[in-house]
Amino acid sequence: MSRGKVVLAYSGGLDTSCILRWLLDQNYEVICYMANIGQDEDFEAARRKAEQIGASQVVIEDLREIFVKEYVWPAIQAGLLYESRYLLGTSLARPCISVGLITAAKKYNALYISHGATGKGNDQVRFELSCYSLWPDVKIIAPWRIKEFTSRFQGRQDLIKYASLNNIPVPVTPKAPWSMDANLMHVSYESGILENPNNEPPHDLFHMTQDLAKTPNEPFKLSIEFCQGLPVKVITQDAQVFDKPLEMFTYLNQIAGKHGIGRIDIVENRFIGLKSRGVYETPAGHILHVAHTDLEVFCLDKEVYRVKQNLKEKLSDFVYNGFWFSPEGEYVRKCIALAEETVTGKVNMEVYKGNVVVLGRWSPVSLYNEELVSMDKHSEFSPSDATGFINIQAIRLKEYHRFQKQQNK
Amino acid sequence: MSRGKVVLAYSGGLDTSCILRWLLDQNYEVICYMANIGQDEDFEAARRKAEQIGASQVVIEDLREIFVKEYVWPAIQAGLLYESRYLLGTSLARPCISVGLITAAKKYNALYISHGATGKGNDQVRFELSCYSLWPDVKIIAPWRIKEFTSRFQGRQDLIKYASLNNIPVPVTPKAPWSMDANLMHVSYESGILENPNNEPPHDLFHMTQDLAKTPNEPFKLSIEFCQGLPVKVITQDAQVFDKPLEMFTYLNQIAGKHGIGRIDIVENRFIGLKSRGVYETPAGHILHVAHTDLEVFCLDKEVYRVKQNLKEKLSDFVYNGFWFSPEGEYVRKCIALAEETVTGKVNMEVYKGNVVVLGRWSPVSLYNEELVSMDKHSEFSPSDATGFINIQAIRLKEYHRFQKQQNK
Amino acid sequence: MSRGKVVLAYSGGLDTSCILRWLLDQNYEVICYMANIGQDEDFEAARRKAEQIGASQVVIEDLREIFVKEYVWPAIQAGLLYESRYLLGTSLARPCISVGLITAAKKYNALYISHGATGKGNDQVRFELSCYSLWPDVKIIAPWRIKEFTSRFQGRQDLIKYASLNNIPVPVTPKAPWSMDANLMHVSYESGILENPNNEPPHDLFHMTQDLAKTPNEPFKLSIEFCQGLPVKVITQDAQVFDKPLEMFTYLNQIAGKHGIGRIDIVENRFIGLKSRGVYETPAGHILHVAHTDLEVFCLDKEVYRVKQNLKEKLSDFVYNGFWFSPEGEYVRKCIALAEETVTGKVNMEVYKGNVVVLGRWSPVSLYNEELVSMDKHSEFSPSDATGFINIQAIRLKEYHRFQKQQNK
Amino acid sequence: MSRGKVVLAYSGGLDTSCILRWLLDQNYEVICYMANIGQDEDFEAARRKAEQIGASQVVIEDLREIFVKEYVWPAIQAGLLYESRYLLGTSLARPCISVGLITAAKKYNALYISHGATGKGNDQVRFELSCYSLWPDVKIIAPWRIKEFTSRFQGRQDLIKYASLNNIPVPVTPKAPWSMDANLMHVSYESGILENPNNEPPHDLFHMTQDLAKTPNEPFKLSIEFCQGLPVKVITQDAQVFDKPLEMFTYLNQIAGKHGIGRIDIVENRFIGLKSRGVYETPAGHILHVAHTDLEVFCLDKEVYRVKQNLKEKLSDFVYNGFWFSPEGEYVRKCIALAEETVTGKVNMEVYKGNVVVLGRWSPVSLYNEELVSMDKHSEFSPSDATGFINIQAIRLKEYHRFQKQQNK
C-alpha cells in the first residue's frame, strides 16, 4: 500500500533519478517537479526519463519570468551581496522553486516534498525553510540525510550500479570533477577539484561568460534605467531597447557574458558553519548590481543610504541562509523598497574585457545639486559656516587630547 | 610687526603660491611645508618658487614610507571602503600630512597652520580635525573661508592677476578643466567638466593607469602574502620579490597601472552633506583590497568576520570624515587589528585588462577544512544533524505562518 | 525703517523678554509665539507682558494634543531612548514647536525666526534644523550666538539691568540655581549647581513626580492597551477608562507622578560633543515605555525585533540631534511603524514607590505559543531536533578549537 | 561491561537523581559533578544521596569566586543585557559550570558529559556548546532528548515511581507549580503557572529580594567604584568597605535584596525560536548594571560609546545563545575591554523601595568638562561656531526639501 504522495524536486540527473526510484521502492507515489529557471536542460527528455522510471506525474513549470521579477529584481533593488562578493544566484532560486514545489504538492494532495540536496550544503536549508514557511505541515524527505539511503549510496559508483540494475539511463560522458548548479542568474561551481582552495579553476569550467582572452576588442556601450530601484529598461549603443524583465535580463546575460563579465572565485561561510570554495559567473546580475549601486548613492540621501546599507547586509544573510520567506525577510524587503522609492534614473556604461565601466548617470529627481557643489559658484553656500562646523567637531577631539594628557600625568 | 609664524601646506601651484604671498601681506612669517607622499612634483623647483615669493623657510619631507606603513597598510588591513567603492586615497593622506605640519609648527614655534583647501570640500575638515587632535591649541588660517580673501579672489583670473603683480610665476599651460589631487595611493579628479555627473570623463584624464585598450594582451601572475592582515610580500611570475612596504606598493602601482586596474567614477556623499562626483585611480590599493578581502573571508571565523565588517563600515566613515586621529578612530583600528591577527597567508592572482582575478589562496592557519567540507567524505559530519538544525530553525517560521493565519481570520 | 518681521519663540521669562526688546531695538517687528505644550505657564500674563514690551502680535497656540499624538506617540511606538536612558522629552517638543513657528511666520509674512536657546546646547540645533527642513529659506536670529548681544549681556545681571531700564517686569523671586525646561512629557533640569556631576540634586527640584518617601503606601493597578505599537487605552483598578491621547497621557502623568515614577539623573553626550548632566522626570513617558517594551518582545518576531531595535537606536540619535524632520528621520519612522503593525495587546501593571511592575500581558495575535513552549507538552516539538541543532552550531566551534591548537603548535 | 565513564551535572534533585540511576542502568560509570555557584543547597546531603544511588565519585567544587570574577564581572563591564532587560544570570553560569564538567571529565578520564536540561530550553545549548568548545571530542548524553528516556519518563509521576522503585529519596514537599534555577547572580522562575504570560507571579515566588511592601522605610546610601569597567569597591553609608569580588557581590545581593531591587517579569525569545516567559530577580547584578551604565556614559567618548554599545548588543546575544566560548565571544569581549580602559571612577547611589537612585558620579579621568559645558562661562567655546555647525548640517535638509518639491511637481 502506498505511503502517500511525494513531490520530488527532479533534475533529470543521476542523483534525483535514483532518489525517484528509491522513493518508489519505499512505496511512495512520486510526482516529479521540474522548474525551468533558465538552466540549460532538455526538459522533455527529463520528463520521459522520469516517466520511464515510474513517476506518476511529471510537472514542468516555466518560472523564468517569475524568478526574474519576484526574486532577482528585489535582490538588485536591495543591492544584496553576501560576504562582500556573492550575488546570491542560487540562494534566490531556492525559494522560487519551493513555491512551485508546494503549489504542486497542494494541487496533487501530496503530503511530502523530497529533494536531492546534500547534508553539508546550504540548499537543503533553503528548500526546507522555504517549504515550511509556505506550508508548515509539509513533511520533508531528504534522502541524503537518511541513514538507509546514505549507507546504501556511499559514492557515485553505488548510484551508477543502482541505476543500471533499475534500467535508469546512466550518463555516458564521465562526470566533470566538480559539481555545478545553473539558473538564469548564474552558474555556480564547487566540490571535486575545487575543494582545494588553492587550485586554480580550469579554463573550460565556465558556461555563461567568455574567457577574457576571447572577448571582443571593442567596448560596447549601453544604458540601464531604473525606476524605484528596479531595472526598467536597457538601451544599447545600436539602439536596441529591452523593457520586459525576462528579455532585459536575458539580453544582459548575453552581452555581459560575451564581454567576460561577472566571474568570481571565493571562499564563503555556509550557514551551517563550514567554509566552502565556490566559483560563480553572474553576467547580467553583475552589471545590474554595478549600475544600481551607482544610481543609489547618486539618488539616496546620505543618511538614508546608510540605514539602507545596514538593512541590505542583514537581508543578504537572511537570503543566503534560506530565510527569504520569513518575518524578517519580508519586513526588511519592505523597508528597503521604501528607501528605494527615489532611486530612479539612468546609468550609462560600457562593457569591455570583463569590466563594467560607469560613464555617467542621470536622474530626474536626484539630490545631487551641481550648482551647489560647484567649485566655481558660491551659490547659497557660505564658506565661513565650515569653520564653525569644523570647530564644533573639534571640541570632542580637543577634549580627548586633554584627557589623554591628564591620564598620562 | 609680524603677527606670528604660519606653517603653510604648500603645493607649488598657483593657489598656495598666492596664499603664501597673501599671508606675507598680512604680516605673517610663512614657513612652507611640502610633504612628498608620492605625488609627481619637482620639489626643488617648488622650493625655489616659495623662497622667491618670500617664505622664510621651506620644509620638504619625504613621507612616502610613513604614508604606506602607517596609513595605507592599516586601511588595507581594515578593508576600508567608503560608500561601497572609494578606497580613501585622499582621506588617508590628510592625517599623514597633518602630522608633518604640526611637527614643523612645533619645531619652528609657529602657532598657525594654513592650507589651500576650499570651503565646500572634505580636505579642510580632514586637515583641521587632524591638526586639532594632534595639537588642540593650534590656530588654523583657511583663506578660502576668509571673507577678505574670497572677496578678493573670486576666480582663477584674480589669482593670475595677483600672481603677475607679485612676480609669482604663472603656469604657462592652461589649467585642465578639472582639478586633481595625487599621492602614492591614488589620483583623484573632480570639479570643472566632471561636475556634471553625466559627463563621461575624458580619456586623457588618467595618470597612474593605462587605458584598457592599451593594456598588455597577456595576463600577468603574482602572489601577495599577508601577515596579520598586513601585506608582507609580493612575488611575481618572473620571480621578482618585494617585501618592503614602499617597494611593494610602488611595484604594485606600476604593474596594476600597466594593466589598467583600479579606476572608478562615482558620486559620493561629502561629510558636509553635499553630493559630489569624483573619478579615482588606485591601482595598488585596488589589487591589495581584492587580495585582502579574499584572504580575510578564508581565514576569519564567520561571526568574527561579521563583527569586523561592521567595524570596518564605521571606520570607513570616520576616516573619510577626517577622524583618523580621534578616540573612535583609534579604538576601532585597535579592534580591527585584533580580529586580523589570524589573517595570514597568500593569495594568487592574475592582472589582466583591468581585472584582478583571484586564482587561489592558502593559509598556514585557516579555518577552512577541506576534509570537513568535502562532498566525498563524511568525516566527523553527521548529515542527520542537519535535519534537527533545520527543524529548529523552522519553529519560528511555522509560528509566523500560524500567526498570519490567525491575523487574517 | 523696519528690517522685517521676526517670529520669536517667546516664553514670558526674562531672557526672551529681553530678546524681544533687543530685536525691537534692532528695528525688527516682532511677533511673539508661545506654544502650549503642557508647561505650567500663565499664558495670558505672558501675552500682556509681550504686548507691553512691544510685540506687534502675540500668538498662543495649544499644541498639546498634536504634541502627544504626532511626537510622543511615535516615540513610544519606536521605543526611543537616548544613550540607554533618556526618553527625549525636550527633543520631541522642539520639532513640534518649530512647526508652530514656521506656520506663524508664513501666516504673518515673517522672514525670520528667533529663539532664546544658548550656543552650547542642543535646542538651538533642534529648532533651527527643524525650521530649515520645513522652510529652507527662513532666516534664523539666535541672539545668544550674536556678538553684539553676547557682549552686552554677559550674565543675568546684565539682563536684569536692561529689563529695568526698559520697563520689562523683572521676576521677584530669585532664580533657582539651575535651569529647567518643562512640557507635557517631562521636566528637565540642568546647569547651575547641577553642572558638578557629583552634586546630588536637591529634593525640591522636582515638579511632576512625588518624592518616593511621600508616595502612597498602596500599589495601584492599571492596564495599558496598544494597537500597532501606539497606546490606545488606559484602564485603572477603579475602572476608569481613558482612550483619548491627551487624556490618557495626562492621566498617566498624574498617577505615575503620584507614585514617584520616572526620575533619572544622567550625564549625556550633546550633539555638539560636550558631555552634560541632566536630571529628568518623565512619569507618563516612563510607564508607557515600560509597557510598550514588554508588549513588543511579546508580539514581534525575534529577528524582526532585532532589526527594529537597531533602527530604534539610530532614530534615537536622529531625534536627539534635531533630525526629526529629515530624510532619515522620516524613513526610519516609517520602517518602525511597519514593524509595529503587530504590536497589539494589553499590559497589566502596578505602580508603586517609583516602580512600574509588569504583572502580565496579553495579545490577540501574539507569536507566543503557550502550548509549544510548555514543559509539560511535547506538542509538535521533537526534542531530538535540538541535538542536530546543537551539533551543527558546534561545527564552527570545534573548527576554531582545532585552529587554535594548530596555531599554537 | 561498562560503556565508559560519564560526568553528570548533578543537582541533588529528583530529575538528575533519576538520570544518575538510569545512566547506571545503561551500564555507564557515573561521576556526579556539583558546582557551587551560590545556589542554596545542602551539598553534603546531595553527595550522600548520589553515593547512595551509585555514583562512583561525587565532585563538589566551589566556583563562586570564579563565577563572579570571570563571568559576572566581564558581563557588568560589557553592560550585557538581553533584549533590553535580562541580565543573563543563567546564561553566564552555564559556561562556568561547563569548565568544571570538562575539567572533571579530563581528570577522571571520562569521555561523556550528561545533564538534565530539557529539549526546549536554552541551557542544553549553552552547556553543550561550551563543552564542545572546550573539548571538541567530548560526547554528550542528554537524556531529555533520548527517546528511550523520554518515552519512559513522560511526566513527574513517572520519575517519582522510578525513584521509589530504586530507593531514591523522593522530595516530601510537593513541587512548586513552576521551576526555578538559582545561582549567586539570580534566581529565575519559569514553566508551570508562569507559562500563561498573563498570570501574575505569586508573591511567595521570590528568594533573593524582599517584597516592596516589606522593604525598609529608609533609603540606604552606598558608592561603587570601578576600575577599567570592573567593580573594585563598595563603600556604604555606615562605612563598610568591600573590595574582594565575591564579598562585594554577596554584600550587594544582601543590601539590594533587602530593598527589593532587581525583579523583572518578561517574555523573551529563546535561541531555538520559542518565546518563553521568565521571572528573574538579580539584586546585585541590577545595582551594578545601573552604576556601570552611569559611569560609562560619563567616561567614554561619545563615539567610542556608540561602537561599544553595538558590540554589547551582539555579545548579549552570543552569551544568551551559549557562545561564551567562541571566536566571536572572545573577540568581542576583548574589544569591549579595550573600550572600558577609561571607565574608572565612583558612582554614588541610594537603594530604596526597589529603586536604585544615582546621586552623583566622579572620575579621575573623565571626558566631562564642567568648565566647558558651563552655561556661565564661555571658556574656549565660541558660540558663533554653532551657527556654522548648524548651517552645514542644514545643507542636506534643505536639499531634501528642494528635492521633495521637485518630485511633487
Side-chain angles (χ1 to χ4, degrees), chain B residues 98-225:
Chain B
S98 298
V99 172
L101 287 166
I102 292 295
T103 307
K106 292 195 166 172
K107 181 170 170 191
Y108 295 103
N109 292 310
L111 300 174
Y112 300 89
I113 299 283
S114 183
H115 63 74
T118 64
K120 287 183 179 176
N122 290 309
D123 285 335
Q124 54 173 350
V125 189
R126 294 169 187 151
F127 274 130
E128 299 181 25
L129 293 184
S130 294
C131 288
Y132 288 135
S133 266
L134 295 163
W135 187 22
D137 296 330
V138 73
K139 302 277 174 285
I140 309 274
I141 301 172
W144 287 116
R145 296 197 314 255
I146 295 175
K147 211 167 171 194
E148 296 87 315
F149 189 89
T150 54
S151 56
R152 178 160 187 178
F153 301 102
Q154 304 213 8
R156 189 171 162 79
Q157 286 317 311
D158 295 330
L159 289 168
I160 289 176
K161 212 164 110 190
Y162 180 77
S164 305
L165 281 173
N166 288 280
N167 289 321
I168 301 171
V170 172
V172 286
T173 50
K175 192 187 173 302
W178 58 76
S179 75
M180 65 174 264
D181 180 72
N183 62 45
L184 201 61
M185 191 177 181
H186 86 343
V187 183
S188 69
Y189 310 89
E190 57 174 18
S191 306
I193 57 168
L194 297 174
E195 275 168 7
N196 180 339
N198 210 10
N199 277 358
E200 189 172 332
H203 278 285
D204 58 344
L205 192 78
F206 298 96
H207 288 68
M208 298 177 85
T209 55
Q210 190 53 269
D211 279 355
L212 293 181
K214 298 181 192 153
T215 55
N217 285 318
E218 290 300 316
F220 186 86
K221 292 192 181 189
L222 74 172
S223 301
I224 303 181
E225 287 185 25

Side-chain angles (χ1 to χ4, degrees), chain D residues 78-281:
Chain D
L80 298 191
L81 203 62
Y82 183 70
E83 295 188 338
S84 310
R85 293 177 296 180
Y86 171 40
L87 286 161
L88 297 166
T90 305
S91 321
L92 290 166
R94 296 321 183 203
C96 176
I97 298 170
S98 298
V99 172
L101 287 165
I102 291 294
T103 307
K106 290 194 167 175
K107 180 172 173 188
Y108 295 104
N109 292 311
L111 300 175
Y112 300 89
I113 299 283
S114 184
H115 63 74
T118 64
K120 287 183 180 176
N122 290 310
D123 286 336
Q124 54 174 347
V125 188
R126 294 170 186 151
F127 274 131
E128 299 181 25
L129 291 185
S130 294
C131 288
Y132 287 136
S133 266
L134 295 163
W135 187 22
D137 296 331
V138 73
K139 302 274 174 285
I140 309 275
I141 301 172
W144 286 116
R145 297 197 313 256
I146 294 173
K147 205 157 179 203
E148 296 87 314
F149 189 90
T150 54
S151 57
R152 178 159 186 178
F153 301 102
Q154 304 214 6
R156 187 168 164 83
Q157 287 316 311
D158 294 329
L159 288 168
I160 290 175
K161 212 164 111 190
Y162 180 77
S164 307
L165 281 173
N166 287 280
N167 290 321
I168 299 171
V170 172
V172 286
T173 50
K175 193 186 171 306
W178 57 77
S179 74
M180 65 173 262
D181 179 71
N183 62 44
L184 201 59
M185 189 175 182
H186 87 344
V187 183
S188 70
Y189 309 89
E190 56 172 19
S191 305
I193 57 168
L194 298 174
E195 275 167 6
N196 180 340
N198 210 10
N199 277 358
E200 190 171 333
H203 278 283
D204 58 344
L205 191 79
F206 298 96
H207 288 69
M208 298 177 86
T209 54
Q210 189 54 268
D211 279 354
L212 293 181
K214 299 180 192 152
T215 56
N217 285 319
E218 290 300 317
F220 187 86
K221 292 192 182 190
L222 74 171
S223 302
I224 304 182
E225 287 185 25
F226 291 84
C227 182
Q228 306 201 330
L230 297 168
V232 290
K233 196 185 283 187
V234 171
I235 307 164
T236 72
Q237 66 176 37
D238 47 5
Q240 296 179 79
V241 175
F242 303 89
D243 59 4
K244 297 201 180 60
L246 182 53
E247 273 179 23
M248 282 172 62
F249 201 71
T250 305
Y251 173 74
L252 288 174
N253 265 334
Q254 179 244 307
I255 192 75
K258 181 177 167 190
H259 288 270
I261 283 162
R263 294 182 178 181
I264 55 168
D265 171 350
I266 64 171
V267 170
E268 73 198 49
N269 289 292
R270 288 194 191 149
F271 186 25
I272 64 168
L274 295 171
K275 286 187 183 295
S276 80
R277 194 259 196 104
V279 177
Y280 302 93
E281 48 184 346

